[in-house]
Amino acid sequence: GAGLLRVRGARGDAPINHLTDSAAALVARLPYATSIGIGIEPSAPGALRIRMPYDPRLIGNTLLPALHGGAVASIIEIAGQLAVMQQSGLRQPPSTIDTRVDYLRAGRPVDTLADAEFVRLGRRVANLRITAWQADPSRPIATGNIAFLLPSN
């Protein structure tokens, strides 16, 4: 299934801009997202759906088996990039200032989903909190906090 990328708290809960019109174009601007099969599709107003489909090449521990930590960190960062690009209208991904990922449990060999929330979206810096999960959003496999530098205009 697909997961919900929620964009809340952005600029005083302002409506999200043109979610359905540019979702595929946003992913196309992130070559790595395309290479690992990240997909998003229109959803409820103010939301995007994001999914990283399971692929055996994403396994890091073959004994469990469990997803590689880099694959999990990737969906967290990509969710943040897409949320910032969508909300701010950027045509290129924002520069990452800092990323923190907390791994909470092993990622199983199934699709992984992400949910991103703006902590703050300013003129120069965006701060987001992202949760990655698989079958149940109340049982995340990882959480992340990311700060992005926005270009000056």
Side-chain angles (χ1 to χ4, degrees), residues 9 14 22 24 29 33-34 38 41 47 54 64 67 73 76 83 90-92 96-97 111 117 120 123 131 135 145 149:
S22 60
R29 291 188 182 113
T34 303
I38 294 291
E41 59 188 47
Y54 168 69
L64 290 179
L67 294 178
I76 287 174
L90 292 177
R91 295 185 50 79
Q92 296 299 318
T96 303
I97 298 171
D111 289 1
E117 179 179 351
R120 183 174 192 289
R123 285 182 299 221
T131 304
N145 291 293
L149 179 65

Side-chain angles (χ1 to χ4, degrees), residues 64-149:
L64 290 179
L67 294 178
H68 190 282
V72 175
S74 292
I75 193 172
I76 287 174
E77 184 168 25
I78 290 166
Q81 289 174 326
L82 290 171
V84 170
M85 290 169 70
Q86 185 63 66
Q87 180 61 24
S88 66
L90 292 177
R91 295 185 50 79
Q92 296 299 318
S95 299
T96 303
I97 298 171
D98 186 48
T99 301
R100 174 191 166 112
V101 177
D102 293 317
Y103 298 94
L104 306 174
R105 58 183 46 90
R108 296 181 324 266
V110 298
D111 289 1
T112 303
L113 306 93
D115 187 13
E117 179 179 351
F118 282 91
V119 175
R120 183 174 192 289
L121 179 58
R123 285 182 299 221
R124 293 289 291 146
V125 176
N127 297 90
L128 292 95
R129 185 174 307 121
I130 296 117
T131 304
W133 77 89
Q134 292 178 316
D136 180 356
S138 71
R139 293 186 42 84
I141 63 170
T143 59
N145 291 293
I146 304 179
F148 292 107
L149 179 65

